[in-house]
Amino acid sequence: MKFPEFDDELWPLLAQTSRPSRYAGCEWGPVAPKKGGKGDLVRFCLAFPDVYEIGMSYVGFQILYSLLKKQPLADVERAYCPWVDMEHLLRSHKLPLGSIETDRPLSAFDAVGFTLQYELSFTNILTMLNLGGVPFYSEERKEQDPIIFAGGPGALTPEPIAPFIDAFCLGAGEILLPKMVAVLSETKGMKRSQRLETLAHIKGIYVPSLVNAHQDGDAVHFSSALSLPIKRQIVEDFRGSFYPEELIVPTANVVHDRVPIEIFRGCSRGCRFCQAGIIYRPVRERTVEEIVNLVSNLTNTSGWEEVGLISLASCDFSGLTELLQKIEPIVNGKGIKVSLPSLRMDRFSVDLAASLEVMRRGGLTFAPEAGTQRLRNVINKGVSEEDIEYALNAAFSHGWDRVKLYFMMGLPTETEQDLDGIVDIALHALSIGKSWKRRTNIAVSVAGFVPKAHTPFQWEPQNSIEELRQKGQYLKSKIYNRRISLKYHEPEQSFLEGVFARGDRRLASVIALAWEKGARFDGWSETFSLQRWFEAFEEKGIDPSSFNLRSREEKEGFPWDHIDTGVSRDFLWREREKAIQGLLTPDCRWSHCHGCGWQSYGCQWSQGGVH
């Protein structure tokens, strides 16, 4: 629902938009804004730089919203990026972008926090700032302007948007936001520069204006009066860690329309392409009893008919079988279905999926990632030919007739034989389905590989647009059977993502110029235009390929060297060297500690046991 604190002039405009539900604010669960209160109350706006249905599917917003609501010195509302039709309407009617709860303009908040989930949402941040009446650049903001901060995985590679952000939260919001609330409340009335200096003394807060970036060609070096690098903060013990007692439930359809319950955080499988697997280490689990209680309480209060047990690799939860047994009577009694969003490609995962009714309604999705065993060893995927055989046979034997397979093209050391392997696996999957007398359909999705910071492949070049397109077309030319569909991600977006994934502060001026030229929702194919970006790069005299198409030296100064994720650069280099040799690194949870860096901080797995 809306809480009418401001005159709502949006309602007459909603019928003119493609999806009015994005702006109507018709929800169950949001708490009314706090009225009046002391002058030290800090008003936050959590801002998601994409449309409502995507932002509302992000579990982090639910956690942080509820966390801030419980802070005595804080209140919180939310804002999402308006689609291009609503942006036009807001501008033509001279209306500011405000929160979904009260339409309070972004400029009227004490602090506005952006979630950085995807590099191609950077221009949406500028759209929201501009519509909300906030200057783009931190150095141009006045004393009355809100503090603009940002968190999420993108905060660990912050430099491309550093000039736009006053402070980055590196790591867990559950740890950092209460400390920010205290500082922002205590420093009300002080100069903006003093407030930022005080924020910078919180462990895990990065204030770009207090850190100098020295450009040496393509290399970057950092200096500051503050201690560098700045270390990511984590919830050390996940047992009993904060989780909402109630959830905001939208009346409109959203991407993930379910009760989301984070059963554990982190991943130790060590896939060398996966940034999330590095930056969310170490693995920390909730207890089975805690999760059972969350399932019971949140299904009672939300009305959702599905529960998602979410994590980076849900099937790796050590108590999963016990958990499913204990929640079975709860969900069956309420007619609620359970889903596991991430499945391994093995028989255990498929058998488990077969026991979950919600997963039997559609097809199964697997991610072999590479077409040959050699290349899967390079990326440390840990999926063998036998695993693929077992998983596919198990899937079709349990009655599925649709399987989706995810792959990447452009991986380091890739050859034509590896591409042919993608086609071979698809054909083999079709053959196995036929052997089980299934009317089989195989959907193959191939994404262009983007090397990411804080991974073993941060030193590697990305394939060019032309190379990725040629590979995608080559794969499509190999598919003749109508039971197999193959789609590949358009390489232009992968190219731009690669630029920002390892970019530095020079890119901020390019982002601003591209926005002025009309760049919006660059992650959406219907609004994306690479030509705008190339024009912006050319006008700023910056070669985008210098960020993503070249190999890097082992000791090169990276634009993220002042950020410490907890995983050491030496470990990443060792993993890169093992990748070139095709050597595997087994999961440390089931083998032994590999010295990634977290053992120095008391990682439970390096100490030999589960907490």
Side-chain angles (χ1 to χ4, degrees), residues 44-50 58 61 64 79-82 97 106 111-117 121-132 134-136 141 146-155 161 164-169 177 180:
F44 281 82
C45 182
L46 295 177
F48 196 91
D50 213 315
Y58 171 54
F61 249 38
L64 299 181
Y80 304 90
C81 191
L97 175 64
L106 298 193
V112 176
F114 287 93
T115 293
L116 306 178
Q117 292 289 317
S121 66
F122 288 166
T123 52
N124 289 353
I125 295 174
L126 300 191
T127 297
M128 296 179 76
L129 289 175
N130 182 260
L131 288 173
V134 182
F136 282 173
R141 291 177 192 137
I147 299 294
I148 305 299
F149 67 100
I161 59 169
F164 308 133
I165 305 298
D166 295 319
F168 287 93
C169 297
L177 279 184
M180 286 188 67

Side-chain angles (χ1 to χ4, degrees), residues 143 439 572 607:
E143 298 298 331
R439 189 173 176 81
L572 296 178
Q607 306 305 313

